[in-house]
Amino acid sequence: MPLYTFYPCKEDGSSTAIEAYFLKADDNAVPFALKVMAEHPSCAFVSVWQDARPVLVRRRSDVGSRANQSQLQPTS
């Protein structure tokens, strides 16, 4: 399984921590992004990468919207 790296970031883009998980596929990154966001209340968004490939960005503002909860925001 590939290693996915999660970066909880402040609004200015600076990362406050790094978490990494082995996941089967990109779709599995969403619940982990929400978990990382919950554990880092000061972050504005979580950026997820698999090796050098950007996977998704999940903004805190997305979490409150039911319409956006099941959608990814690809970074490419």
Side-chain angles (χ1 to χ4, degrees):
M1 284 191 287
L3 182 65
Y4 288 76
T5 309
F6 295 74
Y7 299 93
C9 299
K10 296 179 182 177
E11 195 59 52
D12 68 2
S14 62
S15 179
T16 58
I18 297 172
E19 295 192 26
Y21 300 96
F22 289 101
L23 303 174
K24 290 183 180 181
D26 289 359
D27 291 344
N28 300 116
V30 175
F32 284 90
L34 295 174
K35 174 185 177 295
V36 169
M37 191 175 299
E39 293 173 350
H40 298 273
S42 66
C43 78
F45 64 94
V46 175
S47 179
V48 182
W49 292 70
Q50 191 274 311
D51 198 19
R53 179 178 64 87
V55 175
L56 68 96
V57 172
R58 193 59 180 254
R59 297 197 149 277
R60 189 168 295 282
S61 59
D62 294 341
V63 176
S65 168
R66 261 181 200 251
N68 290 330
Q69 279 190 348
S70 63
Q71 297 175 356
L72 298 179
Q73 290 185 357
T75 54
S76 54

